[in-house]
């Protein structure tokens, strides 16, 4: 099986997989992102009402993105590798 | 003449178009040696054919024949030239009526007329030995019976052949020595079969005609039976389901095996007495038929192995981790972690046990990345073998990251079926592509790596965090809406009226 042996040699010659974010940093990132996301969420509830809710939307977007990445990192920290 | 007629008949009934057109080369077996290593659920058969090419040049295709008894039990068969590490190409032709055997063709390197070569056929039979007596008491020894044909099947003339059957211990209860074998033995009927310790030798047999074909088989072929004692529990894996899941965010490869094992020894006669089992261990005379533990070699550098069954976590296990060697140049390292698992209860003859064993390993140990093509190449062993066990059914599922494209799978050996499906797990939106390989009748040698290649676009990597972000943002929008909408049943003005 030519394709199998060529794939085998390819696999042995290529550099190993390395993640975008190093594994050791993941728990720190998880906790910090989630805590900041919750903090921003709390701050969101204290914002005054505006006719054009610019600040509220901005805070909501930032909190959501931080929360999204924080949740994925938290899943990985506890052992549920997504 | 009969040989040429048979060869033409074999060529015509063959499936491949090549053989049907050209004439076959004829060979002669100058010496054939068959060594059978008896075991529990697996039996090793090594047949060495010293062949001589006859006649003119032609396609160098040597034909092997297997009886029905061997064909249904053969789980692994490979052919090599003696001294060479490369396996020769083996093609299966199925059952041939005229030869009354299953035929295989081996492609040999070019041979001149009267040139000689030595081919080594290595095959492993599964479930070839059956327990006899079929039921024994707990403390009795377990005896197995093995049967094989006396004369080695071959469509060519054989000048000399011999069969050696090696039992695992010198405790051989009996072995058959049919007097009819003296026809080709060239000696008296007494010395057709000789035994020395654990080895029983049949032959040598001289000047055999082609042993395929119904007339010869009816007249001369005899069944040899060896009745021997086997000192270890006979394990067979009824089904093995391996699932490998890749996570890029967590840099992790999770491998999980769901195994159903069975003790294929003689059935238990009477009741199981745990007192007797404990006493036998105390007095250092353990029952050889009872399966109490399995020793597995897991890959080095794994962490968090888990072992549970349908009742829950099984704590009776021992694990000794071997860290992954520092140098990454040799990916296939010899070091392996040691895992000894004890089923929840000892397995006696005919008893089954199902368990799940899994572990996490860093993805870098198995996966590689090609920056130029953006391709990931992952290699995972097809199974972790249970030493000496025949595997009846095996399934291998590869779950790839969400959004993986250009998926290509290369199994180490031909599998029965390959299918794809979408696996849905935590935080998935479109689901993950998963490939399922199914195979049956495997041995503990089928541990080759399954290679998978795939590419993942950058946006697929971001799908998970953005999904969670979108959900959170939705909640924030709801919060903004509820702030601005008055949900009270009555207003302050209407409350004042009353």
């Amino acid at each position: 099986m030519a394709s199998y042996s060529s794939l085998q040699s390819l696999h042995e010659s290529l550099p190993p997989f390395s993640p975008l974010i190093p594994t050791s940093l993941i728990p720190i990132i998880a906790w910090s992102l989630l805590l900041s996301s919750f903090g921003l969420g709390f701050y969101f509830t204290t914002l005054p009402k505006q006719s054009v809710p610019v600040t509220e939307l901005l805070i909501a977007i930032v909190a959501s993105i931080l929360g999204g990445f924080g949740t994925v990192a938290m899943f990985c920290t506890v052992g549920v590798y997504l | 003449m009969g040989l040429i007629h048979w060869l033409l008949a074999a060529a015509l009934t063959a499936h491949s178009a090549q053989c049907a057109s050209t004439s076959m080369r004829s060979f002669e077996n100058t010496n054939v040696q068959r060594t059978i290593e008896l075991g529990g659920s697996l039996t090793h058969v090594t047949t060495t054919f010293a062949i001589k090419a006859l006649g003119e040049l032609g396609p160098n295709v040597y034909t092997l024949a297997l009886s029905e008894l061997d064909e249904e039990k053969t789980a692994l068969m490979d052919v090599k030239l003696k001294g060479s590490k490369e396996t020769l190409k083996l093609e299966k032709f199925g059952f041939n009526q005229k030869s009354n055997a299953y035929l295989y063709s081996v492609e040999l390197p070019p041979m001149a007329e009267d040139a000689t070569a030595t081919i080594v056929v290595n095959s492993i039979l599964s479930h070839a030995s059956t327990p006899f007596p079929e039921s024994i008491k707990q403390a009795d020894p377990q005896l197995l019976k093995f049967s094989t044909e006396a004369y080695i099947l071959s469509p060519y003339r054989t000048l000399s052949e011999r069969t050696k059957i090696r039992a695992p211990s010198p405790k051989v209860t009996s072995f058959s020595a049919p007097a009819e074998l003296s026809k080709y033995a060239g000696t008296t009927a007494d010395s057709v079969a000789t035994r020395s310790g654990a080895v029983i030798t049949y032959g040598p047999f001289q000047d055999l005609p082609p042993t395929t074909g119904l007339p010869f088989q009816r007249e001369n072929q005899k069944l040899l039976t060896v009745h021997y004692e086997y000192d270890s529990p006979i394990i067979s894996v009824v089904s093995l389901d391996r699932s490998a899941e890749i996570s890029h965010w967590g840099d992790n490869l999770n491998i999980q095996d769901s195994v159903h094992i069975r003790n294929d020894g003689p059935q238990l006669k009477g009741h199981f007495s745990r007192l007797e089992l404990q006493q036998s261990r105390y007095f250092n005379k353990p029952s050889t038929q009872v399966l109490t533990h399995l020793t597995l070699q897991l890959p080095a550098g794994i962490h968090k192995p888990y072992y549970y069954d349908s009742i829950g976590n099984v704590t009776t296990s021992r694990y000794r981790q071997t860290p992954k060697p520092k140098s990454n140049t040799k990916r296939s390292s010899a070091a392996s972690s040691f895992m000894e698992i004890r089923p929840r209860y000892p397995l006696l003859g005919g008893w089954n046990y199902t368990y799940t064993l899994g572990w996490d390993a860093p993805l870098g140990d198995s996966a590689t990345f090609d920056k130029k093509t953006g391709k990931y190449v992952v290699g995972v062993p097809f199974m972790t073998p249970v030493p000496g066990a025949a595997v009846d059914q095996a399934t291998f599922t590869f779950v790839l990251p969400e959004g993986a494209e250009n998926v290509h799978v290369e199994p180490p050996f031909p599998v029965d079926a390959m299918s794809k499906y979408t696996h849905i797990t935590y935080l998935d939106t479109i689901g993950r592509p998963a490939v399922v390989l199914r195979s049956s009748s495997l041995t503990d040698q089928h541990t080759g790596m399954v290679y998978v290649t795939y590419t993942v676009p950058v946006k697929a990597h971001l799908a998970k965090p953005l999904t969670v972000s979108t959900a959170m943002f939705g909640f924030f929008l709801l919060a903004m809406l509820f702030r601005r909408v008055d949900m009270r049943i009555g207003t302050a003005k209407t409350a004042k009226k009353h």
Side-chain angles (χ1 to χ4, degrees):
Chain A
M1 287 197 271
S3 56
Y4 182 80
S5 44
S6 65
L7 204 54
Q8 188 172 26
S9 46
L10 184 69
H11 180 256
E12 270 159 29
S13 60
L14 287 174
F17 171 88
S18 57
L20 280 166
I21 305 163
T23 330
S24 47
L25 288 180
I26 297 258
I28 305 163
I29 291 174
W31 284 109
S32 50
L33 287 182
L34 277 183
L35 282 172
S36 47
S37 170
F38 289 145
L40 278 177
F42 172 70
Y43 176 61
F44 170 88
T45 58
T46 62
L47 287 172
K49 269 191 282 192
Q50 295 167 313
S51 48
V52 181
V54 179
T55 333
E56 285 182 68
L57 277 175
L58 213 63
I59 299 288
I61 290 169
V62 176
S64 309
I65 293 185
L66 289 179
F69 282 92
T71 311
V72 174
M74 190 50 101
F75 265 85
C76 291
T77 315
V78 297
V80 180
Y81 295 103
L82 297 168
Chain B
M1 208 56 199
L3 183 64
I4 298 171
H5 272 149
W6 176 85
L7 285 169
L8 280 175
L12 285 169
T13 52
H15 296 179
S16 153
Q18 309 165 311
C19 284
S21 51
T22 54
S23 58
M24 300 282 279
R25 188 81 181 277
S26 59
F27 293 91
E28 184 183 68
N29 299 328
T30 46
N31 189 18
V32 187
Q33 292 263 30
R34 178 172 57 166
T35 311
I36 302 174
E37 308 258 352
L38 297 176
S41 56
L42 294 175
T43 311
H44 270 92
V45 181
T46 312
T47 318
T48 310
F49 291 89
I51 64 174
K52 187 166 93 165
L54 304 171
E56 295 164 9
L57 296 168
N60 294 285
V61 175
Y62 183 84
T63 309
L64 293 169
L66 246 62
S67 68
E68 197 168 334
L69 194 69
D70 280 345
E71 167 71 20
E72 64 183 17
K73 293 195 164 48
T74 302
L76 175 77
M77 182 153 93
D78 61 60
V79 185
K80 289 186 188 147
L81 276 176
K82 189 164 183 175
S84 155
K85 285 214 177 93
E86 299 272 318
T87 55
L88 300 171
K89 191 167 153 223
L90 188 68
E91 211 176 309
K92 191 171 175 168
F93 285 131
F95 189 71
N96 184 301
Q97 281 283 10
K98 201 132 193 235
S99 351
N100 198 36
Y102 289 83
L103 298 182
Y104 290 81
S105 76
V106 181
E107 214 174 283
L108 296 172
M111 286 169 71
E113 189 174 344
D114 285 344
T116 56
T118 312
I119 325 176
V120 180
V121 180
N122 217 1
S123 63
I124 302 182
L125 311 174
S126 63
H127 305 300
S129 304
T130 49
F132 186 78
E134 273 151 32
S135 64
I136 56 171
K137 290 215 207 72
Q138 192 173 327
D140 290 344
Q142 72 178 353
L143 303 166
L144 296 174
K145 193 165 70 165
F146 173 79
S147 299
T148 186
E149 275 90 14
Y151 299 118
I152 299 161
L153 253 72
S154 178
Y156 309 110
R157 264 190 71 223
T158 309
L159 297 179
S160 151
E161 78 172 35
R162 191 199 312 250
T163 300
K164 272 199 184 129
I165 303 182
R166 184 172 302 159
S169 72
K171 291 183 244 180
V172 176
T173 320
S174 69
F175 58 94
S176 65
E180 292 88 343
L181 294 182
S182 60
K183 179 177 176 189
Y184 289 103
T187 54
T188 58
D190 295 334
S191 50
V192 147
T194 48
R195 178 191 156 182
S196 90
V199 184
I200 303 156
T201 311
Y202 288 94
F205 302 113
Q206 256 96 22
D207 272 327
L208 280 156
T211 49
T212 50
L214 217 45
F216 179 88
Q217 288 175 8
R218 267 204 208 121
E219 220 182 282
N220 299 305
Q221 189 66 281
K222 288 274 165 272
L223 218 57
L224 304 172
T225 310
V226 179
H227 197 201
Y228 61 101
E229 190 174 326
Y230 192 64
D231 274 342
S232 321
I234 300 160
I235 318 168
S236 77
V237 177
V238 178
S239 72
L240 171 71
D241 296 322
R242 169 164 277 205
S243 161
E245 191 167 320
I246 298 178
S247 160
H248 280 194
W249 277 111
D251 183 28
N252 185 61
L253 174 69
N254 173 275
I255 295 179
Q256 183 167 301
D257 287 338
S258 294
V259 187
H260 172 180
I261 54 170
R262 185 178 57 208
N263 183 331
D264 262 341
Q267 307 267 338
L268 178 69
K269 194 195 292 181
H271 296 290
F272 168 60
S273 163
R274 194 173 279 278
L275 180 64
E276 203 178 315
L277 184 73
Q278 303 281 52
Q279 277 181 337
S280 71
R281 278 201 209 134
Y282 182 73
F283 290 116
N284 217 17
K285 271 193 302 221
S287 324
T288 52
Q289 42 146 322
V290 182
L291 174 63
T292 49
H293 60 272
L294 285 175
T295 308
L296 302 168
Q297 305 284 337
L298 305 182
I302 65 173
H303 51 93
K304 289 198 268 206
Y306 51 91
Y307 168 48
Y308 63 84
D309 63 11
S310 54
I311 294 172
N313 184 41
V314 188
T315 53
T316 51
S317 60
R318 286 202 196 102
Y319 172 63
R320 188 169 63 236
Q321 187 194 25
T322 311
K324 185 85 184 170
K326 288 288 191 294
S327 71
N328 259 336
T329 48
K330 200 112 209 274
R331 207 166 294 285
S332 49
S333 62
S336 52
S337 303
F338 167 84
M339 179 87 166
E340 183 199 272
I341 56 171
R342 282 176 184 267
R344 210 177 268 279
Y345 46 87
L347 268 74
L348 270 77
W351 291 13
N352 298 283
Y353 184 64
T354 52
Y355 66 87
T356 305
L357 177 69
W359 60 85
D360 287 327
L363 190 54
D365 291 347
S366 314
T368 56
F369 179 55
D370 189 1
K371 271 209 190 77
K372 284 176 282 186
T373 53
K375 213 161 61 161
Y376 294 92
V377 185
V378 189
V380 178
F382 191 88
M383 62 177 182
T384 302
V386 176
V391 181
D392 295 340
Q393 297 281 344
T395 312
F396 185 99
T397 309
F398 225 127
V399 181
L400 301 165
E402 206 176 4
E405 292 160 353
N406 306 320
V407 177
H408 181 69
V409 184
E410 281 285 347
F413 47 81
V415 292
D416 294 345
M418 200 188 304
S419 58
K420 290 193 167 104
Y421 74 102
T422 307
H423 183 81
I424 299 179
T425 182
Y426 303 103
L427 299 186
D428 280 346
T429 41
I430 54 170
R432 299 171 192 231
V435 185
V436 184
L437 306 171
R438 259 175 261 274
S439 196
S440 58
S441 193
L442 302 177
T443 67
D444 58 357
Q445 306 286 321
H446 286 90
T447 53
M449 305 277 266
V450 180
Y451 289 105
V452 173
T453 62
Y454 60 93
T455 56
V456 186
V458 180
K459 63 174 170 63
H461 271 128
L462 294 174
K464 277 196 186 33
L466 290 179
T467 313
V468 182
S469 304
T470 317
M472 280 185 80
F473 189 66
F475 279 116
F476 278 117
L477 283 178
L478 265 180
M480 281 163 66
L481 183 72
F482 282 134
R483 278 174 128 203
R484 285 158 173 80
V485 171
D486 188 5
M487 298 287 280
R488 287 176 296 179
I489 298 169
T491 56
K493 281 188 194 156
T494 50
K496 268 192 188 161
K497 270 191 191 163
H498 301 290

